[in-house]
């Protein structure tokens, strides 16, 4: 696979994982948008930015997986705190279970390949 | 914050708003509220209590995604539409006129329900609740709802043929199919969306 193809694959993979990353980040407790994105931006491999995170957060809110609490702020517009709903907690729990199974399956596949190589 | 700094923020937000024009109004407003809060939080983080200057605003905005990236973030209209419509019409392939037909069926069920409650007709009430549940089930793509509908249509055909003749039963079947086909088309269970990256695995 050429470098550009790997890059395209990584981009697609990240897109699919954004929702999972945001829900997982909210598992630790509520956070306002800037705080949440600032936290995720530190993990460069995830490549989460405002223009990718806010559309997903909005969709998750419409879907009932996250809720928004608005708190007045002294220096600017009200702060919007995001947190998981009960439905969101169930969803992220299911996602964790699937993720663990997926990682396990891929590891098994890699182990099988290594065993074939030894033979 | 001085007027120039405020104007720079307003200009950025206006530009983002233009790039979000494909979104429904309520959703665009919600996004803009998020982005506005983000800018002010980033400024507060940078200035640590002192008054923000134009340079601070320019620095913060330069760190953020350019306004045009918001259009790229939501290129798929189906994802941008309200989730309720998306669920009832996965893939967005069902014509509006058929969706209207389904809505009319829903209204008929509600009228049945009201009449049943007003007249105390228990059989009509059960039929109305059953039809309502079935419509919702079909709308959200519930497998059991498909099976019940197909069995009911087939059962109606056989019973119609036995009691009132084959011609009546065929007419009934055609009418039922006219209702059933658009309902089935309204979900991706039988007809996966054309724009899906890969064929969805169908449950066994």
């Amino acid at each position: 696979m050429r470098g550009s193809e790997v890059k395209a694959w990584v981009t697609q993979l990240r897109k699919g994982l954004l929702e999972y990353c945001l829900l997982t980040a909210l598992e630790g407790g509520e956070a306002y948008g800037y705080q949440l994105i600032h936290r995720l931006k530190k993990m460069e491999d995830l490549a989460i930015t405002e223009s990718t995170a806010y559309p997903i957060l909005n969709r998750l809110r419409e879907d009932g997986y996250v809720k928004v609490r608005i708190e007045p702020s002294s220096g600017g517009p009200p702060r919007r705190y995001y947190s998981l709903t009960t439905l969101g907690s169930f969803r992220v729990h299911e996602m964790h279970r699937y993720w663990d199974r997926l990682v396990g399956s891929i590891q098994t596949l890699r182990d099988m390949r290594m065993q074939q190589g030894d033979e | 914050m001085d007027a120039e700094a405020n104007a720079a923020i307003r200009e950025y937000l206006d530009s983002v708003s233009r790039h979000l024009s494909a979104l429904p109004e309520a959703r665009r407003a919600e996004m803009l509220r998020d982005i506005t809060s983000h800018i002010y939080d980033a400024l507060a983080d940078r200035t640590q209590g002192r008054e923000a200057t134009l340079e601070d605003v320019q620095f913060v905005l330069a760190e953020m995604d350019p306004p045009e990236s918001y259009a790229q973030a939501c290129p798929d209209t189906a994802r941008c539409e309200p989730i309720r419509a998306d669920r009832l019409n996965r893939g967005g392939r069902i014509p509006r006129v058929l969706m209207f037909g389904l809505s009319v069926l829903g209204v008929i069920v509600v009228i049945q329900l009201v009449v049943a409650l007003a007249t105390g007709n228990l059989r009509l009430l059960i039929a109305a609740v059953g039809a309502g549940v079935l419509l919702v089930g079909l709308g959200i793509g519930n497998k059991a709802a498909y099976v019940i509908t197909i069995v009911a249509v087939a059962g109606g055909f056989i019973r119609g043929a036995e009691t009132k003749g084959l011609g009546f039963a065929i007419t009934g079947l055609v009418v039922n199919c006219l209702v059933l086909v658009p309902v089935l088309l309204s979900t991706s269970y039988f007809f996966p969306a054309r724009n899906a990256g890969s064929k969805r695995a169908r449950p066994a």
Side-chain angles (χ1 to χ4, degrees):
Chain A
M1 202 184 273
R2 290 195 305 270
S4 61
E5 285 173 349
V6 174
K7 207 174 163 188
W9 174 75
V10 168
T11 307
Q12 287 303 317
L13 190 65
R14 273 181 189 153
K15 268 188 193 172
L17 290 175
L18 279 172
E19 179 182 325
Y20 180 43
C21 294
L22 286 165
L23 289 172
T24 304
L26 285 172
E27 259 192 318
E30 68 170 13
Y32 52 94
Y34 173 74
Q35 195 178 27
L36 188 63
I37 293 166
H38 191 63
R39 200 182 291 166
L40 290 166
K41 263 186 174 175
K42 285 180 185 163
M43 296 164 204
E44 286 177 15
D45 283 332
L46 299 179
I48 292 180
T49 60
E50 308 84 47
S51 68
T52 49
Y54 286 125
I56 293 170
L57 281 171
N58 268 284
R59 185 166 54 79
L60 289 170
R61 185 186 54 79
E62 282 178 359
D63 236 350
Y65 297 120
V66 302
K67 59 186 177 204
V68 177
R69 183 174 67 82
I70 295 166
E71 196 172 274
S73 166
S74 55
R79 259 193 186 150
R80 295 160 57 77
Y81 284 85
Y82 280 94
S83 60
L84 290 180
T85 60
T86 310
L87 198 64
S89 298
F90 279 126
R91 185 175 173 88
V92 74
H93 181 68
E94 284 298 306
M95 286 171 135
H96 286 325
R97 282 178 51 182
Y98 179 72
W99 179 256
D100 291 343
R101 286 204 306 272
L102 186 69
V103 170
S105 299
I106 291 170
Q107 194 53 52
T108 307
L109 210 56
R110 292 179 69 180
D111 292 345
M112 279 164 62
R113 191 206 53 177
M114 284 172 75
Q115 281 166 10
Q116 281 167 0
D118 290 343
E119 283 168 10
Chain B
M1 198 188 299
D2 60 38
E4 266 189 311
N6 270 318
I9 293 175
R10 177 51 43 207
E11 196 183 323
Y12 179 85
L13 290 171
D14 285 347
S15 184
V16 170
S17 180
R18 280 195 298 278
H19 285 97
L20 290 175
S21 58
L23 289 183
E25 180 55 40
R27 191 148 181 203
R28 186 166 67 228
E30 195 75 6
M31 287 272 292
L32 286 170
R33 277 194 281 273
D34 270 329
I35 298 161
T36 309
S37 288
H38 188 103
I39 294 170
Y40 282 90
D41 282 328
L43 275 173
D45 195 18
R46 180 174 162 81
T47 57
Q48 297 293 320
R50 71 174 164 80
E51 196 174 347
T53 62
L54 177 62
E55 285 72 34
D56 292 320
V57 171
Q58 284 169 339
F59 180 86
V60 163
L61 296 180
E63 289 276 292
M64 289 176 70
D65 288 331
E68 53 272 21
S69 62
Y70 287 89
Q72 290 161 11
C74 220
D76 179 354
T77 352
R79 273 174 70 89
C80 298
E81 279 167 2
I83 196 75
R84 205 174 292 274
D86 188 35
R87 268 186 190 160
L88 288 170
N89 187 13
R90 288 179 207 174
R93 291 159 298 117
I94 189 163
R96 276 177 190 274
V97 66
L98 294 181
M99 281 303 281
F100 177 75
L102 290 180
S103 308
V104 170
L105 277 178
V107 171
I108 291 170
V109 169
V110 172
I111 293 169
Q112 272 186 326
L113 208 60
V114 171
V115 171
L117 288 171
T119 57
N121 187 331
L122 188 64
R123 287 175 70 176
L124 186 60
L125 182 70
I126 293 168
V129 170
V133 169
L134 208 55
L135 264 180
V136 171
L138 291 169
I140 62 171
N142 185 287
K143 276 176 274 179
Y146 287 112
V147 174
I148 292 168
T149 308
I150 291 165
V151 168
V153 169
F157 175 74
I158 294 164
R159 178 128 178 91
E162 278 173 358
T163 55
K164 297 192 176 176
L166 196 60
F168 178 85
I170 289 172
T171 310
L173 188 65
V174 169
V175 171
N176 277 338
C177 286
L178 285 176
V179 174
L180 191 62
V181 169
V183 171
L184 294 182
L185 278 170
S186 71
T187 78
S188 60
Y189 179 68
F190 279 100
F191 301 95
R194 278 177 215 145
N195 58 358
S198 59
K199 277 200 168 179
R200 198 168 299 180
R202 290 185 188 179

